[in-house]
Amino acid sequence: MKYEKNDPVRLSEDGTAVEIIDQTLLPNMFKIKRLHNADEICSAIQLLEVRGAPCIGICAAYGIYICALKISAENESEFFVQLEKCAEQIGSARPTAVNLSLAVKKMLRRAKLCKGRTRDEMMAALKDEAETIHSEDIETCHIISEFGLTLMKDGDSVLTHCNAGALATSRYGTGLGTLLLGAERGYNFHAYVDETRPLLQGARLTSYELSNAGIDTTLICDNMASYVMSKGLIDACFVGCDRVAANGDTANKIGTSGVAVLAKHYGIPFYVFCPFTTIDTECKTGEDIVIEMRDGDEIKKMYFEKPVAPENVKCLNPAFDVTPAELITAIVTEKGIFYPPYDFSEK
Ligand code: MRU
């Protein structure tokens, strides 16, 4: 597997650690962090040092590989007890993105196929599985971005929420892939970027990625979305997502559903971008999607020099919300663009 400098997750050169770009430090510092075991991997995922639905899946896959390498077991059944323990721990680090549990399942399935083989053969297979998950995501993001370009014309202006670019995935990204691929091809797109409270993925990561790619980028506070839409500044909204239910309801970063409501009000198309595997038909509707709840201190303290609220005030801090299918113009995947009423078995 050939890595690039900006890949947010990779296997270390010596093959014993997972390396991530610590996204909590961006845009002020570009620092690679090494993760050596299940505890460090879970902590990095939970603290959003590595984040974005596809990216945490890739991190989990490499993570299980390095955990497997380090297992010392008397026999194969003991090896599997320990491997499943690591997989359970890593797979439950965050609940909402389907990619995390999917990657863990793929790694375990591959390990089980190697039962009875030598340890070296098992390790080679697990490394191959993690690299395949990674390289498939690169390919998927590229195809999604090509489909996205068919929805745009030169000069269009897009509003985006959170970060669904290369830092959240592989290379192009999902929600931002169209803009990044378009920039390479000489399109002049404009991006309005919601800062995305409380953890500022839009301000810190999306505006960093898009402006580095030479895209005309304007940062706004989340509560300015209605203003820019009402002024006719937005041609379309582009977002990524963490899980899509069978009926097309979609979970993405908290605040996404508000953007969709506004887009409907102003008659602006609202597009969701994701790998086809993000569609979880076991969830019938958005009601079935588990929404991660996070610490209230993120609202009161994170990214502020001093606390901005009384120490003991109650906070509600859901990390994601569900956008109802009826507010989504289309869901763009590598298998094509799906329009309502959503039937994901059609392609
Ligand atoms: O909490 P985060 O930063 O992991 O949330 C990420 C998002 O909501 C992204 O939009 C989503 O994972 C899609 S990434 C292509």
Side-chain angles (χ1 to χ4, degrees):
M1 175 94 201
K2 202 167 168 337
Y3 300 116
E4 290 184 359
K5 177 176 172 277
N6 288 330
D7 286 337
V9 58
R10 68 182 67 195
L11 200 58
S12 66
E13 231 168 68
D14 66 6
T16 63
V18 182
E19 289 183 348
I20 57 163
I21 298 173
D22 183 345
Q23 298 192 35
T24 61
L25 302 176
L26 289 171
N28 300 312
M29 192 189 287
F30 184 96
K31 193 173 166 199
I32 303 292
K33 183 167 183 172
R34 282 170 72 96
L35 313 171
H36 305 90
N37 54 46
D39 284 348
E40 289 181 7
I41 287 155
C42 286
S43 160
I45 292 174
Q46 283 160 352
L47 295 172
L48 311 196
E49 291 169 349
V50 56
R51 50 148 297 282
C55 198
I56 58 176
I58 297 163
C59 182
Y62 284 127
I64 287 172
Y65 166 65
I66 60 141
C67 289
L69 268 184
K70 294 173 187 181
I71 289 175
S72 105
E74 297 275 307
N75 53 45
E76 192 179 72
S77 71
E78 199 186 301
F79 172 86
F80 270 95
V81 169
Q82 291 193 45
L83 186 70
E84 283 180 16
K85 202 167 144 229
C86 292
E88 163 65 29
Q89 186 187 354
I90 294 173
S92 56
R94 293 185 80 188
T96 306
V98 72
N99 316 63
L100 183 61
S101 51
L102 214 59
V104 169
K105 276 185 203 148
K106 281 187 179 174
M107 293 298 287
L108 277 183
R109 196 184 309 138
R110 186 71 181 263
K112 283 177 186 157
L113 284 175
C114 295
K115 276 191 173 170
R117 305 244 198 99
T118 66
R119 183 78 180 248
D120 283 353
E121 285 170 334
M122 165 88 79
M123 291 310 128
L126 286 178
K127 184 171 183 232
D128 174 69
E129 189 68 32
E131 289 182 337
T132 302
I133 289 169
H134 194 172
S135 55
E136 280 177 0
D137 192 58
I138 295 172
E139 177 67 12
T140 297
C141 288
H142 192 251
I143 301 170
I144 289 173
S145 308
E146 291 282 6
F147 277 120
L149 276 181
T150 67
L151 302 169
M152 303 280 284
K153 57 182 192 324
D154 195 22
D156 273 354
S157 176
V158 162
L159 183 140
T160 188
H161 191 77
C162 196
N163 172 266
L167 286 165
T169 60
S170 310
R171 315 282 158 90
Y172 289 98
T174 54
L176 299 186
T178 305
L179 302 176
L180 296 168
L181 185 62
E184 276 179 15
R185 301 216 174 133
Y187 286 82
N188 292 299
F189 293 139
H190 188 102
Y192 283 88
V193 178
D194 277 355
E195 64 175 350
T196 317
R197 283 272 289 145
L199 296 177
L200 305 175
Q201 288 93 333
R204 295 185 300 106
L205 309 174
T206 300
S207 62
Y208 165 83
E209 279 194 320
L210 294 182
S211 45
N212 279 351
I215 295 163
D216 188 14
T217 301
T218 304
L219 178 64
I220 57 171
C221 297
D222 298 338
N223 55 4
M224 296 170 190
S226 180
Y227 174 88
V228 290
M229 289 187 194
S230 73
K231 295 291 176 194
L233 297 173
I234 307 298
D235 296 300
C237 300
F238 280 16
V239 296
C241 71
D242 286 70
R243 199 179 291 251
V244 180
N247 70 342
D249 291 350
T250 291
N252 189 47
K253 179 51 55 193
I254 189 73
T256 303
S257 66
V259 176
V261 170
L262 291 172
K264 183 83 160 184
H265 176 77
Y266 290 109
I268 296 166
F270 182 92
Y271 296 109
V272 171
F273 295 75
C274 63
F276 190 75
T277 47
T278 301
I279 299 160
D280 179 4
T281 49
E282 282 181 17
C283 291
K284 296 288 167 248
T285 74
E287 289 284 314
D288 302 315
I289 301 176
V290 178
I291 299 295
E292 175 187 3
M293 303 302 285
R294 296 184 62 88
D295 195 318
D297 275 359
E298 291 181 342
I299 300 178
K300 292 188 278 188
K301 295 184 183 164
M302 282 285 274
Y303 298 112
F304 295 104
E305 208 170 305
K306 291 182 187 159
V308 288
E311 174 76 38
N312 52 3
V313 74
K314 277 197 296 178
C315 290
L316 180 68
N317 188 14
F320 301 94
D321 61 19
V322 173
T323 301
E326 64 265 24
L327 299 180
I328 300 170
T329 309
I331 298 177
V332 184
T333 77
E334 77 281 14
K335 293 202 177 183
I337 304 178
F338 291 81
Y339 291 91
Y342 294 105
D343 174 2
F344 299 112
S345 59
E346 72 195 33
K347 295 197 180 184

